[in-house]
Amino acid sequence: MRKLVLIFWSALALSFSAGAQKISGAVKDEEGKGLYKTTVSLLRVKDSSVVKLAVTANDGSFSFQSTPGTYLVSASHIGYATHYSGAFEATGDIALPPFRLSKAAGNLQGVTVSARKPIIEVKADKTILNVEGTINAVGNDALELLRRSPSVMVDKDDNISLAGKNGVQIYIDGKPSPLSGSDLSNYLKSLQSAQIEAIEIITNPSAKYEAAGNAGIINIKLKKNKMFGTNGSVNGGYVLGTYAKYNGGLNLNHRDKNINVFGNYNYNKGNYLMTMNGEKTQLDTLFFQKNEILFRNNTHGFKAGLDYFINKNNTIGVVLNGNIANNDINTAGPMHFIYIPTGQTDRILKATNHNDMKRDNLNTNLNYRYAVTGGAELNIDADYGFFKIRSNQFQPNYYYQPDGTTEISRAVYNMIAPTNIDLYSLKADYEKNYKGGRLGYGGKIGVVNTDNDFQRYDVFNAGKVLDTLKSNRFKYKENINAVYVNYNKQFKKGFMIQFGLRAENTHSTGNSTGFKKVNDEMIGYDSTFKRDYTDLFPSAAITFNKNPMKQWTLSYSRRIDRPAYQDLNPFEFKLNEYTYMKGNTLLRPQYTHSVDITHIYKYKLTTKLTYSHVKDIFAQVPDTIDKTKGFLTKKNLATQDVAALNISYPFQYKWYSFFASLNANYSHYVADFGGGDRKVNQEVFAMTYFMQNSFNLGKGWTGELSLLYISPSIWQGMIRADAMGMVDAGLQKIVFKGKGNIKVAVGDILRTMKWSGHTDFAGVKSNFSGRGEMPQFKLNFNYRFGNSQVKAARQRKSAIEDEKKRAEGGGQQGGMGNQK
């Protein structure tokens, strides 16, 4: 902990190294009235680069804090011509003459605007990875993009953690995904980078967001064309690792003053290879296994929608999106049983597993929006979605003598497991100005119905027979009703407050049915359980921004992570002859209290110190059954304490820029499952370093070099993982007069993104390692067509709104993000 404090205060020492001058003024209209929410930019004279952005107050006043230099100021407002001041020297406090803006001319010709978002944006409440803007993202799926994202960790079982904490809630287009575990990871693997606009990492959400997600929220925003006129784009990609992969897509959009119609389609096909090695010591036997896992992916993704602008204040819309995936997984590799006292192989198990999977997802959304510029806003969303998951797994188990050729016995199984998930939700959010601030409140009703029918068959030469003792049907329903209120206000004394309260009532019912044998009789069982609980989730933040060049934010939130339905099913699922997975009906939600201190220096250097206390944290615990067989189950560890430090900084000089992020965390896990070797008491100091280098090489050429290092850490509270990392490089060329681009990238050049680790619990010691395809060569082409011009007034409105969001967000940008 002492190391974290030293790093924290060393990073903040820069905050007190330079003085600042105040530059103030006011923006008025032709009648001398102050213009509210005018975008004001402080520009450096020598290169016209933006030093700082501000938004005027109700009376049209504004102010900047700056270091000494030569500057000019611009003021722009919707419907008015942009006005510039003369150049001036800032050697002390300066009061500029009032800006008087004139109405813009009515007959404006179309203009073409070309802009690039920064690759990474860091704000007080979230980090944004703009996938569209990075070369090295091509050819990756959503799970791989998360693996490469700052502060995000993806372990060997594809569990996602953030800043040292598990319990991350994944959102798709602002809506929480009901999937978890392998269902979630397989869905993320079906989303390609060509479909994704940005990834938002929100570590301390406000009361407006659902309380689920102890570590925070990761929102994956899918692409939606916002340009006016009729336009579109096509893209195609090729990836070569061990196997070749292909992807392509089409995007179409038509927008005018009344409607916006949009749609896109993406296709992805390819084989993905992973190798996994493991050894387990239990009693006098060593189990050693080498596996090759081949994942075959064939996915169609689509999205279509319509927005109808009733008038300037009212909009209604409908959105339909989904994925159709036909995948299969083949696992091959022998398991050797070694008698430890002699070191001799006792027997060999050959189990070649094949799983044919189909995963279909469809989501529909009806929405209504009422908004008055600078005033009230109402959003209503009604959603229905379903996931149709089919799994047909063939698992042969052949036992051989140590020579590997003489068969001893065999056990062959066929597991058929259809799963249906239905989601219903109705949500309303309302915001208005109140007592000089912004008041928001709303509510949501959400229902998730899950039905999983697991059927295990014993396969013989003559056919297959259903094993009713090893089959199970599990139905789970979860209903969450929520209301919230949130308020924020900027005070003239130089600070801003935000506080909120969210109340959520959870009602869930699980029903696990099947047969069990009692005294040689087959008896049906019904292990039904119900839960009903209500929680309050407060959140609050205060930002001290009297000196905008040195902003401080202190925030607090309480959050929850509910058990996934698979983790509650008490049935024992056989993964192979010696490994089972079993749910736990006693698994409780885990709760987190988090406190953040954030400092932003000169809109660039961001330092965040976080402390979190997690109660009843989930952990995947290995245990034993029948002496030599093991099973995995989720249990509640007693507590987890996490202290995390994140430092990020963007830099740009002429043709070179970089974004660097360091995330360090200290975690302490404590639990007692019966004393002796069933205790958990682990602590670790872990670190993740990410650096994105960008090179503007001229004549349409740009390059990228990405670096990622992950130090030794703890996964899921039990697994001690070793260090790993990667280096990616890419090159882009703009072609066809800016309408097309070609991207070439190589992922994991040094072949270092391979994982390994070990566990020691309840007399079972395990070591494992694995890796994916490395390195990978990636090629992508994108071409835009159709109308690329918009009316100047509309273009200016969009640009100003973007500037306002950046100014009000008070954050930093990384990478090459200057507007052309």
Side-chain angles (χ1 to χ4, degrees), residues 223-281:
K223 289 182 179 178
K224 177 181 177 181
N225 196 323
K226 305 178 183 69
M227 295 187 66
F228 284 82
T230 302
N231 47 74
S233 65
V234 293
N235 67 83
Y238 173 78
V239 178
L240 180 62
T242 306
Y243 297 96
K245 304 132 182 86
Y246 312 89
N247 61 81
L250 171 67
N251 178 40
L252 295 172
N253 183 78
H254 174 79
R255 180 168 182 157
D256 59 30
K257 66 179 182 178
N258 294 319
I259 63 168
N260 179 38
V261 183
F262 56 91
N264 60 58
Y265 167 78
N266 289 273
Y267 175 70
N268 180 63
K269 182 176 183 179
N271 296 337
Y272 303 80
L273 181 67
M274 175 183 290
T275 58
M276 185 181 298
N277 304 322
E279 60 179 48
K280 179 178 69 173
T281 303

Side-chain angles (χ1 to χ4, degrees), residues 424-460:
Y424 309 85
S425 70
L426 179 64
K427 184 180 72 166
D429 300 290
Y430 181 72
E431 289 187 1
K432 67 176 183 177
N433 297 325
Y434 181 74
K435 293 188 179 297
R438 194 76 173 164
L439 175 66
Y441 48 87
K444 180 179 179 179
I445 301 171
V447 177
V448 179
N449 290 327
T450 304
D451 186 356
N452 175 263
D453 188 6
F454 181 83
Q455 307 160 32
R456 202 190 88 167
Y457 293 84
D458 295 321
V459 180
F460 306 100

Side-chain angles (χ1 to χ4, degrees), residues 37-41 53-56 74-77 800 803-804:
K37 283 194 174 181
T38 299
T39 299
V40 186
S41 305
L53 294 170
V55 179
T56 58
S74 70
S76 58
H77 192 95
I800 291 172
E803 287 183 2
K804 284 180 180 179

Side-chain angles (χ1 to χ4, degrees), residues 163 173 180 183 195 238 322 345 356 499 509 569 644 661 716 720 738 756 778:
D173 274 344
S180 60
D183 290 333
Q195 298 172 254
Y238 173 78
T345 298
D356 184 13
F499 57 87
T509 304
N569 189 359
S661 174
Q716 299 295 301
R720 284 196 168 270
S756 59
K778 307 168 188 177

